[in-house]
Amino acid sequence: GAGMAEAVLVVCPMETIKVKFIHDQSSPNPKYYGFFHGVREIVRERGLRGTYQGLTATILKQGSNQAIRFFVMTSLRNWYKGNDPNKRINPFITAAFGATAGAASVFGNTPLDVV
């Protein structure tokens, strides 16, 4: 679903590039002179596939993250509305539900994020 698409299109390339930059900057002779130069060099050296290292772990992490978040948010909204599906929810309540869902996804996803 949404988490998998997010992982493939955005998160995995950005995380891969970020990790490569961190390792490069801590080396005695960094070879990347900036974001665009680094991306260009990574693609030149390893091809587009070079930005997708760790894709499976990223898909698992993002997929489970979004699944937890959507489940908790939907469950809280359904609980609050009870038997009245047309009941309006105050924006502050929605924000509280969103914060709770976000926290649940972080706590539930931390074991996969460490991998």
Side-chain angles (χ1 to χ4, degrees):
M4 291 181 197
E6 178 186 35
V8 171
L9 298 175
V10 178
V11 176
C12 189
M14 291 304 293
E15 286 291 315
T16 301
I17 291 166
K18 178 184 80 174
V19 169
K20 288 180 184 297
F21 278 17
I22 290 169
H23 288 294
D24 181 64
Q25 294 303 306
S26 63
S27 71
N29 298 317
K31 60 183 178 178
Y32 304 137
Y33 301 113
F35 178 76
F36 294 109
H37 178 259
V39 172
R40 187 172 59 243
E41 288 299 306
I42 291 167
V43 171
R44 186 179 64 75
E45 291 172 4
R46 296 188 173 97
L48 197 55
R49 291 184 66 178
T51 63
Y52 281 93
Q53 291 176 330
L55 180 61
T56 302
T58 304
I59 286 174
L60 290 172
K61 179 184 80 158
Q62 291 303 115
S64 66
N65 182 45
Q66 296 301 336
I68 293 167
R69 188 172 293 163
F70 280 117
F71 173 77
V72 171
M73 185 69 179
T74 302
S75 297
L76 289 171
R77 288 179 61 211
N78 289 342
W79 167 78
Y80 184 81
K81 287 184 174 191
N83 293 332
D84 184 4
N86 297 322
K87 181 178 181 180
R88 291 187 47 92
I89 303 176
N90 181 305
F92 292 109
I93 300 292
T94 300
F97 290 169
T100 303
S105 69
V106 169
F107 288 121
N109 208 39
T110 297
L112 281 174
D113 201 18
V114 172
V115 174

